[in-house]
Amino acid sequence: MEKALRVYAEMLRLVRRLPRDSRPYYAKYTRENFVNYRDFDASDSKALDELFHRAYNHSLWVLNKYSVDESAAQKLKQVCFHG
């Protein structure tokens, strides 16, 4: 659970790097996705790792879409893969 909250916090920090008019959409999108998975089985580490990997990859896609340097997601990468 703690790792999931750290991933969520890092994703919200990345949302702040997006253009102002797109931030509300992606903040809401991030929250809705985390809410949808809150009842996820935390004991299934493989499935959790997949979710974190997907969150990281999707974040990179969004950053690239808005021409934000991927290095901004370095901390998210550390949390998702080494956290």
Side-chain angles (χ1 to χ4, degrees), residues 65-79:
K65 177 180 177 181
Y66 290 100
S67 301
V68 176
D69 187 1
E70 282 186 18
S71 67
Q74 194 61 33
K75 191 167 181 183
L76 175 62
K77 182 178 183 180
Q78 290 173 346
V79 173

Side-chain angles (χ1 to χ4, degrees), residues 11-44:
M11 291 183 74
L12 289 179
R13 284 186 186 98
L14 291 176
V15 166
R16 291 187 211 136
R17 293 177 171 263
L18 300 176
R20 188 172 294 281
D21 61 334
S22 64
R23 291 177 194 169
Y25 170 80
Y26 284 104
K28 183 178 179 184
Y29 179 84
T30 301
R31 176 164 170 53
E32 286 175 352
N33 275 284
F34 273 83
V35 167
N36 288 339
Y37 289 104
R38 72 174 162 214
D39 295 327
F40 202 77
D41 183 8
S43 65
D44 188 351

Side-chain angles (χ1 to χ4, degrees), residues 43-74:
S43 65
D44 188 351
S45 63
K46 184 177 179 185
L48 283 174
D49 287 344
E50 269 183 38
L51 281 174
F52 295 144
H53 187 78
R54 203 174 330 151
Y56 174 73
N57 285 334
H58 185 72
S59 296
L60 290 182
W61 184 87
V62 172
L63 292 175
N64 284 323
K65 177 180 177 181
Y66 290 100
S67 301
V68 176
D69 187 1
E70 282 186 18
S71 67
Q74 194 61 33

